[in-house]
Amino acid sequence: MSGFRAELIDYLEGRITFEEFDKRRDEKKVKESDVDADLVEEEDAQPSTSAQVPVKTEEGISLGVQQVFASMLGESSDPHLLSSSSSEEEDSMSYVDDKDDEDYKVGEDEKAAEVQVAEKKQKGRGKKQDKEEAEDMSVGDVFALEMELNRENKKMMREWGKRSKLPRALRGLMGEANIRYARGEKEDATVMCMEIIRQAPLAYEPFSTLAMIYEDNEDMDKALQFRLIAAHLNPSDCEEWIKLAEMSLEQDNIRQAVVCYSKAIKYDPTNVRYLWERSSLHMRLGEHKQCMDGYRKILSLLPMEDGEHFMQLSKDMAKSYYESNDLPSALGVIEDALVRHPSLVSDDIINMAAELHIANHQYNKALQVLVEFAGIVLIRDEPKPDDPGLAPGENVAEKTTEEEEEDEEEENEEGQIIDVHVPESVPVDLKAKLVVCLIHLHVYTPVEGLVSSMMEQSPEEIGDLYLDVGEAYLEAGEYTSALPLLSALVISEKYNLAVVWLRHAECLKALGHMEPAAKSFTKVVEMAPLHLEARLSLATLQQQLGRPDCALKALESMYDSETLAQDSSAAQKELKLLLHRSTLLKTQGQIQHYLDATITMISMLLKVAMQRAKVCLRFVTVSGESHLRLVKVKDMMPDIADQEAAYWDNTCKTNVLSKEDWWQLLVSCVLTLCDVQRYEEAELLVDSAMEFYSFYDNKPRRKELEFFGLSATILDRNHYKAYNYIRLMLMENVDQPQLWNIFNQLTITSHHQRHHRFCLRLLLKHPDNHALCVLCGHNAMVSGSFKHALGQYVQAFQTQPDNPLHSLFVGLTFFHMASQKYVAKRHTLMLQGFTFLWRYVELRGECQESMYNLGRALHQMSLTHLALHYYQKALTLPPQKLEGIADDQVDLTREIAFNLSLIYQASGNMEMAHQLINTHCII
């Protein structure tokens, strides 16, 4: 580009726009002659860059290293001589032929130096003319030149990518390393290769040489590693990748061999052998999809002349797709084979295509294949032009797919099938496929003759075709037609199988023949004891026939505990079996056995949770029968290391039931345990459920579990544990009166004092809570802190002054304070106490309760003559009627009579005391 102006070069390199380039060219036309003269002088004074030969300057290797290798070769240590000798070695021993390498033509450049000097003057003389031509270039010429330069640049970049990345200065050393290797001097060659790798790590030649050296030394691991590095640095060598794949297979490294074949296929994508080998390796690794993708590519590359290979490969691919339940892909492969090579279609291909269409419920297409390739003729009636079933204003529903539209059009054009002509040469399996298609299309007229001819052959020979036709009848609901075929199979020797008995039993059950169906299902269970559906159907039939014991026998456990712990599928089947068994037991009223089945199911769900709760299952003998019991184990050794992993594994095993189903099962089990008074086990079951994440994270269910636990502990009289439940509930629901009533009952019956501090701490947080205020007053009253109790009662009285109970509490507190030994104002306390007691009587009214409480207070203060009056008055009043409480629970007659007898005894009137006791207290 030295023949063009600077502005043209700037424009082509993108530094200026075209407008600036045009402007600069116009400005410099005036100084044309002077600039040309200067340019000619500069060209004459300065030598051409093409003649500069870097003889004394070596790249990539130091002078000391050159002298060492020169001394090893016995050559001169002069730097200039070393440089020239290196250049000669580079020209003679390089990996790449330097004849076409423009960057390293050193010898040619030296010979052409004189020629270039001579040509410079001629160039100088002709430069003015070239520049004039450049200045006279049009805009189109400039753009054409720019496009040409871009093409040349891209071409040069592509060529540069293919060249070796070994620097010029190291090529001689690489050649020397190869010579040393050829002479057997492997250590020296290894050292040289390592030095080259140190200076040029992206060159593949030293790695390839080292791989050959290690291969000669029988160090195949290192040889493979160096070959892999060399192949990655020079990836376009397909043969090298294939050799690496073979070496990887020798070391049983199939995955690496697949990678090597993939690299080779990348640079040679049409090589069928490479694709075939890689697909075979994918199949060995179990990678079905990748294997089938490779086979598909092979099919696209096979020529038309190789039709037999194409058909065989298509058949194998369709079979593999079918075994992996990929029906669309199998159909796609077999349909391509039928379209591409229709003349090579065999009976096996026809049978496979028909079977795939039938499996995909495409019976019209299967019938079309049989007609097109097997020579079967369908006889149809005349098509009807209009459908009389449709009213003039009605529209036919639109089809969702093009295939349905085609089927409908074909059916309307050709009419219904009335008969079928089957050539004698058609195999019996294709006839069976034809029968199956006609049955599913509800064309039964020609089917009868075909089935009769097929049944003339022994079921021992074509029993599988009998079963196919029988199953087609079952799917179409033609149970009467299916029964003879299945009955012939069950009495044969070869096809007396569990699956045949199962179809036979289903057919009998659908026809209403319950007793024979039960026998057939029993045969299925005997031949296949792990078949769940057969067991469930047999149990249902036995229950309907009035044989509950036989039904339960059919639902016995199928697996042992070790199998259930290891096999998820077995655990899921066992859960379904236990669910049906538990339902059947509950309907029969066998509650203990029902609980055994239910607890077994729940223990499978709560396996990890029960270990955290230290609960396990034990077998105990009750009335001569073995039953399961939930037992608390204090020193239980953990047998699950990773509980979180075990929890998720257990969740996968028990996902046959939804969370709601599991919850309902748990609730039913807890309630049933309480019904049979197994309260302790109900507690343990609730504790285990509280440790289960799915139940505990659900707040409403967690609350319900807490209530279940509280009820079970109260019924079991486990007051200590019940207090823990009620304490947590009160902390969250402090304003619930029902919870405070339960709390009060528990504190009365438990005889523990730890609730005092809990109430005081809670009162500090909720000072306005009425129930808490009264309970703290009771606690202080019982503990003898009458002043504290009085303060709490007065606070409650101020809150609800019209409540007679609060007046009673305050009055009794004053009486207790007055009854103390050392009191300064005893009479004042008594007057205050009577004041609140009379207020209580006014609010409550004169009844048995109020009169008794007033007499009891006077009796406590030794005012017996006054107490006698109120006791006698209370004795004459009837007890109150309270809803939900028995009459004898609120009747105070016995207490009143007993207190009266004490007064009479103290006064010496024993006869009156005996009379009261005999009248009211003796039952």
Side-chain angles (χ1 to χ4, degrees):
M1 294 177 61
S2 60
F4 301 110
R5 291 208 173 210
E7 60 270 13
L8 179 58
I9 296 173
D10 292 339
Y11 168 67
L12 293 177
E13 293 180 355
R15 290 196 290 267
I16 62 175
T17 62
F18 181 77
E19 289 80 4
E20 294 177 353
F21 158 71
D22 194 17
K23 183 178 179 181
R24 290 185 184 181
R25 186 179 61 173
D26 294 339
E27 290 177 353
K28 289 191 177 182
K29 283 183 178 180
V30 182
K31 302 179 181 180
E32 177 182 350
S33 59
D34 298 337
V35 175
D36 290 339
D38 295 338
L39 290 173
V40 171
E41 292 177 0
E42 291 177 1
E43 291 290 340
D44 293 337
Q46 183 178 0
S48 176
T49 55
S50 62
Q52 295 177 0
V53 182
V55 176
K56 296 183 180 181
T57 304
E58 296 291 343
E59 299 177 359
I61 184 169
S62 63
L63 182 60
V65 175
Q66 297 179 40
Q67 292 176 355
V68 170
F69 283 110
S71 63
M72 292 169 63
L73 297 173
E75 298 176 355
S76 173
S77 61
D78 183 78
H80 300 283
L81 295 177
L82 181 60
S83 176
S84 62
S85 64
S86 300
S87 300
E88 293 175 1
E89 292 175 359
E90 291 166 2
D91 295 335
S92 61
M93 299 178 185
S94 175
Y95 267 22
V96 183
D97 189 3
D98 293 340
K99 184 176 181 179
D100 298 329
D101 196 343
E102 297 178 0
D103 293 334
Y104 306 116
K105 292 182 178 180
V106 180
E108 293 182 4
D109 290 343
E110 291 177 349
K111 292 178 182 179
E114 297 178 359
V115 178
Q116 291 177 359
V117 172
E119 290 176 353
K120 281 185 181 292
K121 295 182 180 181
Q122 187 176 355
K123 286 184 179 180
R125 290 192 297 269
K127 195 171 292 291
K128 180 176 181 181
Q129 185 178 356
D130 295 338
K131 292 179 179 180
E132 290 177 357
E133 293 176 358
E135 291 175 355
D136 295 337
M137 292 174 64
S138 64
V139 176
D141 295 335
V142 172
F143 280 113
L145 177 60
E146 181 179 1
M147 294 174 64
E148 182 66 24
L149 290 174
N150 287 335
R151 285 195 293 270
E152 291 295 332
N153 186 28
K154 291 180 180 178
K155 181 178 179 182
M156 187 170 61
M157 293 299 295
R158 286 196 298 268
E159 292 177 354
W160 178 258
K162 297 179 181 178
R163 294 175 184 165
S164 171
K165 294 184 181 180
L166 188 65
R168 171 189 169 192
L170 295 177
R171 292 194 172 192
L173 183 59
M174 189 69 248
E176 179 63 24
N178 289 331
I179 290 176
R180 296 295 179 91
Y181 166 64
R183 292 175 182 173
E185 301 175 5
K186 298 178 182 178
E187 295 183 359
D188 295 339
T190 303
V191 173
M192 294 180 182
C193 289
M194 289 299 182
E195 176 64 20
I196 296 171
I197 291 172
R198 185 184 67 82
Q199 300 189 46
L202 298 180
Y204 71 90
E205 292 89 344
F207 292 101
S208 181
T209 303
L210 284 172
M212 291 187 291
I213 293 173
Y214 283 114
E215 193 171 352
D216 291 344
N217 293 335
E218 297 183 355
D219 191 350
M220 302 308 295
D221 291 337
K222 286 191 175 181
L224 179 60
Q225 293 173 7
F226 279 104
R227 278 190 181 277
L228 284 171
I229 297 173
H232 279 287
L233 294 175
N234 186 27
S236 60
D237 190 354
C238 296
E239 294 299 328
E240 185 67 19
W241 285 114
I242 299 305
K243 188 172 182 180
L244 284 170
E246 294 172 354
M247 294 177 66
S248 299
L249 289 176
E250 291 176 359
Q251 297 183 1
D252 293 331
N253 194 343
I254 301 176
R255 182 70 62 184
Q256 185 170 283
V258 170
V259 174
C260 295
Y261 275 115
S262 300
K263 290 287 186 180
I265 292 170
K266 180 180 179 182
Y267 293 96
D268 190 4
T270 60
N271 195 312
V272 176
R273 184 174 70 88
Y274 298 167
L275 290 167
W276 186 270
E277 294 295 337
R278 187 180 67 172
S279 298
S280 301
L281 294 178
H282 278 306
M283 184 62 72
R284 289 173 60 181
L285 291 173
E287 298 173 349
H288 181 265
K289 182 180 181 301
Q290 291 83 347
C291 176
M292 292 296 106
D293 292 342
Y295 285 152
R296 280 184 176 274
K297 195 168 184 181
I298 291 174
L299 289 178
S300 65
L301 295 174
L302 286 176
M304 293 295 295
E305 296 78 12
D306 201 0
E308 294 182 357
H309 188 196
F310 185 94
M311 298 299 287
Q312 184 62 37
L313 181 58
S314 298
K315 181 180 175 182
D316 295 339
M317 289 178 63
K319 183 178 179 181
S320 180
Y321 275 128
Y322 180 74
E323 291 175 353
S324 61
N325 297 323
D326 192 357
L327 284 178
S329 299
L331 283 171
V333 171
I334 208 70
E335 287 176 352
D336 292 342
L338 294 176
V339 172
R340 185 168 180 177
H341 297 285
S343 60
L344 299 177
V345 176
S346 62
D347 292 338
D348 294 340
I349 299 294
I350 298 173
N351 187 32
M352 180 176 289
E355 185 174 356
L356 290 175
H357 282 301
I358 291 171
N360 204 31
H361 306 290
Q362 298 175 348
Y363 307 110
N364 285 320
K365 287 192 174 182
L367 198 61
Q368 183 179 356
V369 170
L370 293 173
V371 170
E372 183 176 353
F373 296 99
I376 297 174
V377 180
L378 302 178
I379 302 174
R380 301 176 181 268
D381 60 356
E382 296 181 0
K384 298 179 181 179
D386 296 323
D387 190 356
L390 290 176
E394 294 178 350
N395 295 325
V396 181
E398 297 182 357
K399 297 292 182 178
T400 56
T401 62
E402 296 181 359
E403 297 177 356
E404 294 178 353
E405 293 178 0
E406 293 175 0
D407 294 341
E408 185 183 6
E409 292 176 1
E410 183 180 355
E411 184 179 353
N412 293 333
E413 292 177 1
E414 299 181 0
Q416 296 293 332
I417 301 172
I418 59 175
D419 199 2
V420 178
H421 176 67
V422 182
E424 295 294 334
S425 59
V426 175
V428 65
D429 52 352
L430 294 185
K431 292 180 181 179
K433 296 294 185 296
L434 174 63
V435 170
V436 171
C437 293
L438 294 175
I439 290 173
H440 284 289
L441 293 174
H442 305 289
V443 181
Y444 300 110
T445 304
V447 168
E448 296 177 359
L450 294 173
V451 173
S452 299
S453 63
M454 186 181 71
M455 291 186 68
E456 292 177 359
Q457 302 186 37
S458 173
E460 302 290 345
E461 299 177 358
I462 58 170
D464 56 339
L465 303 181
Y466 272 61
L467 183 60
D468 291 342
V469 176
E471 289 180 341
Y473 273 127
L474 290 178
E475 292 179 7
E478 297 293 329
Y479 303 107
T480 306
S481 301
L483 187 58
L485 293 166
L486 297 174
S487 299
L489 287 176
V490 295
I491 61 176
S492 64
E493 295 181 0
K494 186 177 179 181
Y495 289 94
N496 184 19
L497 305 175
V499 62
V500 178
W501 279 105
L502 180 63
R503 297 291 181 265
H504 186 255
E506 291 173 351
C507 185
L508 290 171
K509 183 180 178 181
L511 291 172
H513 303 159
M514 297 301 178
E515 188 68 32
K519 293 180 180 179
S520 297
F521 275 121
T522 304
K523 191 70 174 178
V524 175
V525 174
E526 291 176 359
M527 301 176 70
L530 301 182
H531 198 287
L532 177 64
E533 299 300 329
R535 284 176 172 268
L536 299 180
S537 300
L538 177 59
T540 304
L541 283 176
Q542 297 288 16
Q543 185 73 6
Q544 292 176 357
L545 293 172
R547 303 169 186 167
D549 295 337
C550 296
L552 291 175
K553 185 178 180 181
L555 296 177
E556 290 180 349
S557 178
M558 298 187 296
Y559 303 96
D560 55 8
S561 58
E562 294 182 0
T563 305
L564 293 175
Q566 298 174 1
D567 191 353
S568 300
S569 177
Q572 292 177 352
K573 290 182 179 180
E574 189 72 13
L575 278 174
K576 291 181 180 178
L577 189 71
L578 286 171
L579 180 62
H580 285 77
R581 181 179 176 84
S582 63
T583 305
L584 193 60
L585 288 168
K586 192 171 184 179
T587 57
Q588 295 179 6
Q590 301 185 30
I591 303 301
Q592 296 296 335
H593 293 285
Y594 164 75
L595 287 174
D596 291 344
T598 309
I599 291 174
T600 303
M601 295 175 63
I602 295 176
S603 65
M604 296 174 68
L605 177 70
L606 305 179
K607 181 178 179 181
V608 181
M610 289 176 67
Q611 182 172 340
R612 285 201 296 268
K614 296 183 178 182
V615 178
C616 65
L617 292 177
R618 291 285 188 270
F619 278 101
V620 297
T621 303
V622 180
S623 301
E625 295 181 349
S626 181
H627 294 286
L628 283 174
R629 290 290 186 270
L630 291 168
V631 182
K632 184 78 171 180
V633 181
K634 295 183 179 179
D635 300 331
M636 186 176 181
M637 297 298 295
D639 56 350
I640 301 176
D642 190 352
Q643 293 190 358
E644 186 173 358
Y647 167 78
W648 290 114
D649 178 66
N650 204 43
T651 303
C652 295
K653 291 181 181 179
T654 57
N655 59 2
V656 291
L657 296 179
S658 64
K659 291 183 178 180
E660 182 63 28
D661 293 337
W662 278 115
W663 172 251
Q664 295 298 331
L665 189 66
L666 176 68
V667 172
S668 176
C669 186
V670 171
L671 296 178
T672 307
L673 285 172
C674 293
D675 290 339
V676 296
Q677 299 182 0
R678 291 163 60 176
Y679 305 120
E680 184 178 359
E681 293 180 63
E683 295 177 38
L684 298 178
L685 189 57
V686 170
D687 292 344
S688 301
M690 292 286 285
E691 294 288 343
F692 190 63
Y693 298 135
S694 297
F695 293 155
Y696 187 81
D697 292 342
N698 191 326
K699 190 173 181 180
R701 290 179 178 173
R702 184 172 73 243
K703 295 298 180 186
E704 194 166 352
L705 281 175
E706 290 176 355
F707 280 111
F708 283 145
L710 176 62
S711 302
T713 51
I714 292 175
L715 293 172
D716 192 38
R717 300 184 183 278
N718 189 349
H719 305 297
Y720 185 87
K721 196 171 183 179
Y723 172 78
N724 293 333
Y725 277 115
I726 194 64
R727 185 171 62 88
L728 294 175
M729 295 179 184
L730 283 172
M731 292 175 67
E732 296 181 0
N733 303 281
V734 72
D735 295 325
Q736 287 287 340
Q738 296 86 350
L739 295 179
W740 285 113
N741 291 334
I742 297 173
F743 178 80
N744 192 31
Q745 291 294 324
L746 287 176
T747 55
I748 292 172
T749 56
S750 64
H751 303 291
H752 290 290
Q753 302 297 323
R754 54 178 180 156
H755 64 279
H756 292 181
R757 293 184 179 180
F758 167 73
C759 292
L760 289 175
R761 288 193 298 267
L762 200 60
L763 184 63
L764 294 176
K765 297 180 181 179
H766 306 280
D768 298 331
N769 187 272
H770 180 73
L772 190 58
C773 180
V774 174
L775 280 178
C776 287
H778 291 341
N779 295 333
M781 188 79 168
V782 172
S783 61
S785 301
F786 301 124
K787 292 182 179 180
H788 183 204
L790 183 61
Q792 297 297 329
Y793 289 147
V794 169
Q795 182 180 354
F797 176 79
Q798 292 175 349
T799 305
Q800 298 179 1
D802 295 332
N803 192 332
L805 194 61
H806 298 160
S807 300
L808 176 63
F809 293 157
V810 175
L812 292 179
T813 305
F814 278 118
F815 278 115
H816 279 82
M817 294 174 65
S819 300
Q820 289 178 323
K821 186 174 182 180
Y822 302 102
V823 181
K825 301 178 180 179
R826 189 184 308 272
H827 297 288
T828 304
L829 294 174
M830 291 180 63
L831 289 175
Q832 290 175 342
F834 275 116
T835 302
F836 279 97
L837 279 178
W838 279 113
R839 180 177 177 82
Y840 157 71
V841 172
E842 292 175 358
L843 294 174
R844 185 63 175 167
E846 291 189 4
C847 59
Q848 188 185 62
E849 173 199 327
S850 59
M851 295 297 101
Y852 169 76
N853 287 329
L854 186 57
R856 180 69 184 86
L858 294 169
H859 191 183
Q860 179 180 346
M861 302 306 297
S862 299
L863 300 175
T864 56
H865 60 289
L866 297 176
L868 185 64
H869 170 72
Y870 289 106
Y871 276 149
Q872 290 176 348
K873 191 174 183 179
L875 195 60
T876 59
L877 294 174
Q880 290 185 334
K881 303 288 185 180
L882 298 179
E883 184 179 358
I885 301 178
D887 293 340
D888 59 342
Q889 295 292 325
V890 294
D891 189 5
L892 300 175
T893 303
R894 291 185 293 273
E895 287 80 1
I896 298 171
F898 180 77
N899 288 348
L900 275 175
S901 67
L902 292 178
I903 296 175
Y904 284 123
Q905 287 179 14
S907 63
N909 192 349
M910 302 302 297
E911 294 180 359
M912 193 64 182
H914 286 301
Q915 182 185 357
L916 288 172
I917 295 296
N918 293 332
T919 304
H920 301 286
C921 297
I922 295 178
I923 299 175

